[in-house]
Amino acid sequence: MILIPVIDLMHGQVVRAVRGDRQSYRPIASSLCDGSDPVVVARALCAHCDSNRLYAADLDALTGGTAQVEVLRRILQAMPALEFWVDAGFADAAAAQQLRERIGPDADRMVTIFASESLRSRDELARCFTEREADRERGVLSLDRRDGRRLDAAGCWELPQLWPSRVIVMTLERVGADAGPDLATLREVQARSPATKLVGAGGIRHAADLDAAREAGAYAWLVASALHDGRLPPVRR
């Protein structure tokens, strides 16, 4: 199982995500490092997971504000080998391209997360994952749900023919909730598109959860709380 560490960015610092209730997030307190500086936290998480991949949710952008361009750029510049997965509430492919241009050359290492909660239409879903985009592995789709309800104005869940090679299955109410992974939804998505590489998100408590997720069909999982709390040991290769 590939662990992809996660940082949730709000007002220039890393916060602790709990059940997708973004208004209640507070600065992270981690067993892996001191403080909530994004570069410090990002380095600690990637070192713990022996990972050159990091996922960031830009909560300023996701809640209707402006993307934290300087923070994103600073992380990329501080970690030159990083593959940086970024969800900044992109409504369409043009919005993602605009952020890339604002970040500059380091954005070549950015993988764009197009989330079903943010995409505006089916047409935009198709534009986000053109053959060229998919070949360059610069886009990942996130299928989002909360409390059993799909967050999906564009109908992404019902259009597996438009999905890219990698898809995140995001169950928001399980994020930071110590509730275990949502394996039923993962299996549901896998049944729709067996060849798609699935990345789970939310609910991991310990190593046994990762084993169960692997058996359910996930090739990777987004993790934060279990890392900060010391419930997953360092990855050694």
Side-chain angles (χ1 to χ4, degrees), residues 201-237:
I204 292 297
R205 299 163 294 186
H206 40 58
D209 280 341
L210 291 174
D211 292 339
R214 183 188 302 109
E215 292 176 3
Y219 97 101
W221 208 276
L222 303 181
V223 184
S225 295
L227 298 173
H228 292 299
D229 294 345
R231 288 180 277 129
L232 291 175
V235 175
R236 304 298 184 203
R237 295 186 184 179

Side-chain angles (χ1 to χ4, degrees), residues 12-27:
Q13 58 187 333
V14 179
V15 297
R16 181 156 187 146
V18 181
R19 296 184 177 89
D21 182 12
R22 291 166 181 157
Q23 301 304 315
S24 66
Y25 291 179
R26 297 293 181 267

Side-chain angles (χ1 to χ4, degrees), residues 87 90-91 113-121 125 129 140-146 149-158 163 168 170 172:
D87 180 3
F90 304 116
I113 306 300
F114 292 103
S116 66
E117 73 165 323
S118 302
L119 282 170
R120 73 168 83 252
S121 69
L125 171 65
F129 300 113
V140 173
L141 175 65
S142 180
L143 297 176
D144 305 325
R145 64 185 293 166
R146 180 188 284 116
R149 181 174 63 89
R150 295 174 181 175
L151 307 179
D152 189 19
C156 302
W157 284 74
E158 300 298 332
W163 294 355
I168 296 167
M170 176 77 71
L172 284 165

Side-chain angles (χ1 to χ4, degrees), residues 55-115:
Y55 179 106
D58 185 335
L59 298 175
D60 288 11
L62 282 162
T63 54
T66 302
Q68 299 169 73
V69 175
E70 292 301 325
V71 175
L72 300 174
R73 185 188 295 123
R74 188 160 68 90
I75 293 169
L76 283 163
Q77 290 175 346
M79 305 175 71
L82 185 67
E83 178 184 295
F84 199 19
W85 292 26
V86 175
D87 180 3
F90 304 116
D92 50 41
Q97 182 57 33
Q98 288 169 8
L99 180 59
R100 288 181 179 279
E101 291 171 358
R102 292 176 65 196
I103 290 173
D106 289 312
D108 287 344
R109 291 182 283 116
M110 190 176 95
V111 174
T112 309
I113 306 300
F114 292 103

